[in-house]
Amino acid sequence: MSTDTDVDYDVKDPTLSRFDLVKEGARRDGVEIVHYAPRFPKPGTRAERRVERTIALLFGLTGLLGLAFVVAYIWWPWEYQHGTGLDKFYNPVLGLTLGGSLACLGAAIVVWAKKLLPEEVSIQDRHDAPDLDERALTGATIMNMVDETGIKRRPLLKGALLVGAAPLGLAAAAPLVGGLIKKPGNILFETAWKPANGNLIKVTREDGSEVRPEDVSVGGQATVFPGVPHGATNQHADSPVLLIHLRQKDADALRANLKNVAVNSEDGGAMWGNYVAYSKICTHAGCPASLYEQQTNRLLCPCHQSQFQITDNARPVFGPATRRLPMLPLTVENGVFVAKSDFRVPIGPGFWERP
Amino acid sequence: MKRRKIDIAALPAKAGAEIDDRLQVSSPLRRLFNKVFPDHWSFLLGEIALYSFVILLLTGTFLTLWFDPSMQEVTYDGTYTPLKGIEMSRAYESSLTLSFEVRGGLIMRQMHHWAALLFMAAIVAHMLRVFFTGAFRKPRELNWIIGVLLFWLGFVEGFAGYSLPDDALSGTGLRIAHAIMLSIPVVGTWVATSLFGGEFPGHEILGRLYIAHVLLVPAILLGLIAAHMGLLVKQKHTQWPGPGRTDHNVVGIRMFPGFAAKAGGFFMLVFGLVALLGGLFQINPVWLFGPYEAAVVSAASQPDWYVMFLDGSTRLMPPWEARFPLWPGHHYTLPPLFWPTVVLPGVLTMLPLFYPFIEARFTKDKRAHHLLQRPRDVPTRTALGAMAVSFYLVLLLSGANDVIAYKFHISLNAMTWAGRIGLLIVPPLAYWLTYRACLGLQQHDREVLAHGVETGIIKRLPDGRFVEVHQPLAVPDAHGHTELPYAGWVVPKKMNRLGALVPTVKGFFFPIEEPAKPAPQEERPVGAGTSREEITSSKK
């Protein structure tokens, strides 16, 4: 800074040592070096040589491990083989050599800085007091800019600027937002189970095969999908269903409770015999509620631990879920399970428009 | 004519002169070299975050050369035999290719993931340091705000990153994110449908997350980090109080060579640590999770640690759904998911953003501060911080409550209830305990300043009483008291802090402990550095 420059100081003065110049430079930068001493006042002592050897060793290790990394990278068998083999050690060897090399380099530099660089205490002035004169001058300059435009005394231009700029701003935002916007329509209300062209949708396994009542043993359950093209893929992520074959007394308990949820008892009931099917998509956050505890007939969602009591129409009995899992109305046609209709309420997590 | 000899030794000076002729850089360059940095271990935490970010950029760029964020269905036919013939998305397939068929791809993937975890951990630790020492006070409020934004951007960046491989965990996380968007009142379904380009999961989301993850968010992060560093240089670093240190100076070492060498060495150490972690410790083994399928999830599905506290808050939320008619016949729903995943993060963003101003308003402190405060000297702030940390920890533990329940054979529901109750009572308790601890520590500092350090020597007086001999820190008055002011910095509380004893155990493997020589008979005060040789009681 020019304000710190001392005109009387002659940097060309031959009597000045280099460190004198360093101190003068620091002084002009507002820094005073108050303590500056070599770590080893007497050069070549045993202690100093020991530090030098340590640093040299660390640099040596850096090179050695770096070389080992390159060698391992090229020649270690790396391609995946089933079972056990040397390839399983490829990654650990790379990590050990690369990490070791970098760590040695870091340690060498840090030891050098801490043990060999001179001890130093420097004090720098913060110059943190605001310069009020400068502030006044800059403020005046800014205000003058506003005056120069004359926007204050030209209300027409003020209005015109607003009228002109606002639509242009909208025009800039429109393609960004507009391109993304997509109308939800009824995608949250319909699933692949909706009968298509008057045909009921078959209940299928992941491989597309039909499910017959005798396939699911008493007390057993199976994850099933709508029998439509790609029905078991993520194209129909809202459609997975858990089909449960309840034991007699559990089925009786559920049947007795069916009337608690009007839609489930419509049309002769949504159960078929002792079979019942529930949407697998948790009504809390959409994870598959898939841990079925057979003894208590509870279904647990592993994401946030909502628990649904199957024998009470999948009522949420614990956790953050607030709604029952929707029941898929089941029936049997030609010996295989089909869905009587789509779910009668929207499946999955809640949303604003959900009635 | 003889060719003029090139003087090699003079070349650098000549080159420097040529550059300075054209750019006039000597003065600004020297000012940079001479910039003074204060030294304290706690100032390294932010550096770790910075270095992790550099590692993330390096490894991330490598990963983009192979990763393909496409949701097109393909059949796996790579070298990883257990998944052969499985239907999966192109994104997941390319993640597998990166892990198994690109030489060194796996270590890059794992280093990227570890560096991300370290980045967030360092940010949190750095934030705690800044908060508890009052480094956010005027004039550094803006840098604090940038720091809070950096945390949340890192959060978003991390979430986008682990959603990309399209394995079972990322898909589950995305499904929850979709549900969170749906839970927003009025616009929720529009937001979710627009971002996912239709139904969940659709075909758009990975491509959009990818461009956000590799370009948009990193660009903003980079800009904010540059601003963060620029402000740090402009405003100069805070420092702890100590001899010669005032609010108007910085005491430390100059940037070159000392500080730069230490920082550069530290970068290499962090880099080495990340490489070791990436090589030796498996992280996010996507090939074990399998591709995402909407019907499949495994128990103990956990997000990365920095997202876990929100998972915890979601688990603890009671099933409170608001359902109301806005006009007859039309009911609207406000799902319980809205509160812990939208409102809570909103509050957790806003509160820290405004904290510096709230504190200044309550303490009526409008001055600029460059000296740090010891947490004990500001009990209210420290206690509030402890309250926030304990709130966070309850949420974090609740994010793993199923694993804890399973490992320790505790009822899962009991864990949830413990979390719900704990969230309400632990933070106030932490506040009270911390406040009392701060006062106690303050009092002890003052006591040592007034009476001296406990020596451990018990004396029996002629009348039979036992008293402990105290070593005063200055020449005491007639009552044996010293009137020393508290300087806002560590008060020595042990004799060896006064230089009166050498550390008793030297060396780790071979403790060199010599029997102490009998103490000198006469007692004399151990003044500031006067009597090191005289009182030293063991070797040398």
Side-chain angles (χ1 to χ4, degrees), chain B residues 11-52:
Chain B
L11 261 187
K14 192 162 168 356
E18 294 291 339
I19 292 172
D20 193 46
D21 277 348
R22 287 160 178 79
L23 304 174
Q24 291 87 44
V25 286
S26 332
S27 165
L29 203 60
R30 199 193 59 232
R31 212 162 44 237
L32 181 74
F33 290 160
N34 278 336
K35 191 172 174 50
V36 172
F37 278 88
D39 209 2
H40 191 261
W41 64 265
S42 65
F43 302 162
L44 294 179
L45 299 169
E47 280 183 50
I48 301 178
L50 179 68
Y51 303 147
S52 308

Side-chain angles (χ1 to χ4, degrees), chain A residues 73 122 124 126 206 238 322, chain B residues 103 199 237 250 252 293 321:
Chain A
Y73 183 81
S122 297
Q124 184 167 26
R126 272 190 197 273
E206 195 164 9
D238 52 1
T322 49
Chain B
R103 206 188 267 249
E199 225 172 334
H237 208 290
V250 195
E293 292 172 83
E321 179 178 284

Side-chain angles (χ1 to χ4, degrees), chain A residues 42-270:
Chain A
K42 203 174 125 210
T45 55
R46 276 178 60 187
E48 187 183 6
R49 285 205 308 270
R50 195 162 56 236
V51 174
E52 276 176 20
R53 275 201 305 276
T54 309
I55 297 171
L57 178 74
L58 285 169
F59 277 126
L61 278 175
T62 306
L64 206 66
L65 287 167
L67 202 64
F69 172 80
V70 175
V71 169
Y73 183 81
I74 298 174
W75 283 291
W76 196 282
W78 66 278
E79 276 167 318
Y80 179 80
Q81 306 286 330
H82 196 54
T84 52
L86 275 182
D87 63 293
K88 301 291 178 295
F89 294 95
Y90 184 64
N91 214 47
V93 167
L94 289 191
L96 265 180
T97 49
L98 181 64
S101 178
L102 289 165
C104 285
L105 178 61
I109 299 173
V110 169
V111 172
W112 192 330
K114 284 182 89 101
K115 296 273 167 107
L116 292 187
L117 290 184
E119 270 179 35
E120 174 188 331
V121 178
S122 297
I123 301 180
Q124 184 167 26
D125 208 338
R126 272 190 197 273
H127 295 298
D128 57 340
D131 189 332
L132 297 180
D133 287 355
E134 284 291 304
R135 190 181 292 177
L137 295 180
T138 309
T141 311
I142 292 172
M143 292 319 289
N144 193 46
M145 285 182 216
V146 179
D147 287 349
E148 277 169 334
T149 60
I151 191 116
K152 278 190 185 154
R153 57 186 178 83
R154 295 180 183 125
L156 175 65
L157 287 184
K158 207 191 279 181
L161 185 67
L162 204 70
V163 168
L168 188 64
L170 281 180
L176 283 177
V177 180
L180 283 176
I181 286 184
K182 199 149 185 176
K183 196 176 173 191
N186 57 359
I187 56 172
L188 292 169
F189 295 87
E190 281 181 8
T191 72
W193 293 103
K194 190 183 177 190
N197 310 324
N199 295 325
L200 301 185
I201 305 295
K202 276 184 188 164
V203 172
T204 60
R205 293 192 189 81
E206 195 164 9
D207 58 7
S209 58
E210 297 156 339
V211 184
R212 294 165 189 283
E214 59 269 26
D215 295 344
V216 186
S217 54
V218 178
Q221 35 95 22
T223 299
V224 293
F225 303 90
V228 297
H230 305 287
T233 68
N234 290 341
Q235 284 183 33
H236 297 288
D238 52 1
S239 300
V241 156
L242 194 68
L243 175 66
I244 307 170
H245 188 174
L246 291 169
R247 282 166 299 209
Q248 188 60 44
K249 68 172 172 50
D250 298 332
D252 290 340
L254 176 55
R255 252 189 297 276
N257 283 328
L258 270 191
K259 60 180 185 312
N260 295 343
V261 184
V263 288
N264 288 347
S265 50
E266 277 171 18
D267 188 15

Side-chain angles (χ1 to χ4, degrees), chain B residues 305-371:
Chain B
W305 78 267
Y306 48 87
V307 184
M308 232 159 90
F309 77 103
L310 284 186
D311 208 39
S313 68
T314 312
R315 291 172 181 201
L316 296 187
M317 179 70 198
W320 294 338
E321 179 178 284
R323 203 167 158 274
F324 40 86
L326 276 191
W327 49 78
H330 285 267
H331 278 82
Y332 292 91
T333 302
L334 188 52
L337 194 56
F338 178 62
W339 304 104
T341 59
V342 183
V343 174
L344 181 74
V347 173
L348 292 186
T349 315
M350 287 306 159
L351 263 187
L353 277 185
F354 288 104
Y355 184 81
F357 306 103
I358 299 171
E359 190 188 284
R361 198 180 168 83
F362 271 93
T363 55
K364 298 190 175 57
D365 183 358
K366 305 280 177 216
R367 285 171 303 132
H369 296 278
H370 301 287
L371 286 177

Side-chain angles (χ1 to χ4, degrees), chain B residues 471-531:
Chain B
Q471 169 63 60
L473 295 173
V475 180
D477 61 14
H479 309 289
H481 288 171
T482 45
E483 296 275 342
L484 291 171
Y486 177 65
W489 186 230
V490 178
V491 175
K493 291 185 176 174
K494 286 186 179 144
M495 288 301 280
N496 51 4
R497 292 275 175 205
L498 298 175
L501 297 166
V502 295
T504 44
V505 179
K506 266 189 156 183
F508 186 79
F509 293 106
F510 304 102
I512 313 160
E513 212 167 346
E514 287 181 6
K517 287 174 195 146
Q521 286 305 302
E522 52 174 330
E523 279 176 33
R524 58 173 76 194
V526 186
T530 52
S531 51

Side-chain angles (χ1 to χ4, degrees), chain B residues 208-278:
Chain B
R208 289 177 183 171
L209 277 178
Y210 182 65
I211 202 66
H213 182 75
V214 304
L215 181 72
L216 293 179
V217 184
I220 304 173
L221 272 172
L222 199 62
L224 284 182
I225 289 175
H228 203 66
M229 307 296 293
L231 281 177
L232 163 82
V233 170
K234 169 82 185 115
Q235 296 180 326
K236 300 196 176 73
H237 208 290
T238 51
Q239 61 187 349
W240 285 104
R245 297 176 182 190
T246 70
D247 252 331
H248 303 288
N249 69 11
V250 195
V251 178
I253 58 172
R254 290 166 303 147
M255 189 156 166
F256 282 88
F259 180 78
K262 278 190 197 171
F266 191 52
F267 181 16
M268 289 299 116
L269 285 174
V270 172
F271 209 159
L273 174 73
V274 170
L276 284 172
L277 287 170

